[in-house]
Amino acid sequence: MTPVEDAMRTKITQALNPTKLEIYNDSSSHSHHKAMQGTVSKETHFRLVIASEAFRSKLQPARHRMVYALLKEELERAGGIHALQLKTRTPEEEERLVAQEQAEKGQHVADVEQK
């Protein structure tokens, strides 16, 4: 892990108590971009997958604003986060997505009792 990733994980875990939190540092894939020239930070581009009960009854824009507010410092800092991709779900939405992905792959999802 890295300092920015550690800070994100701590803030999100404390505020949202996620049932799922995945943090991907994609910075190395973007280091050649013109906007990144002269940047010494190796922590500029992230993808987050968050499942949390805190997102219940909120639309995606509101969920994203919650995360942006938590990471305000990291987003505003010079050399900080330049790009942040978010996937925000409730635990039930995450469960449905996992079941759908498993069904599409032909993996076992559930047993059905025969009468």
Side-chain angles (χ1 to χ4, degrees), residues 2-90:
T2 59
V4 174
E5 181 180 344
D6 290 344
M8 288 192 300
R9 186 175 306 281
T10 298
K11 289 179 179 185
I12 292 168
T13 300
Q14 289 176 351
L16 302 177
N17 192 28
T19 56
K20 178 177 187 172
L21 175 58
E22 297 177 358
I23 300 176
Y24 301 93
N25 185 342
D26 295 332
S27 303
S28 63
S29 300
H30 300 275
S31 60
H32 66 283
H33 291 180
K34 187 175 182 177
M36 296 295 96
Q37 299 304 312
T39 300
V40 295
S41 176
K42 302 293 184 214
E43 298 183 276
T44 56
H45 292 69
F46 288 92
R47 282 181 294 131
L48 305 179
V49 179
I50 308 167
S52 173
E53 194 64 39
F55 297 143
R56 184 168 308 289
S57 76
K58 291 179 176 54
L59 298 175
Q60 287 296 332
R63 296 173 182 185
H64 288 202
R65 283 190 297 271
M66 290 170 68
V67 177
Y68 294 144
L70 289 172
L71 304 179
K72 185 176 195 247
E73 181 182 330
E74 289 76 10
L75 288 161
E76 292 179 349
R77 181 182 322 134
I81 297 173
H82 174 76
L84 185 62
Q85 179 184 5
L86 300 174
K87 291 185 181 177
T88 54
R89 306 175 180 119
T90 64

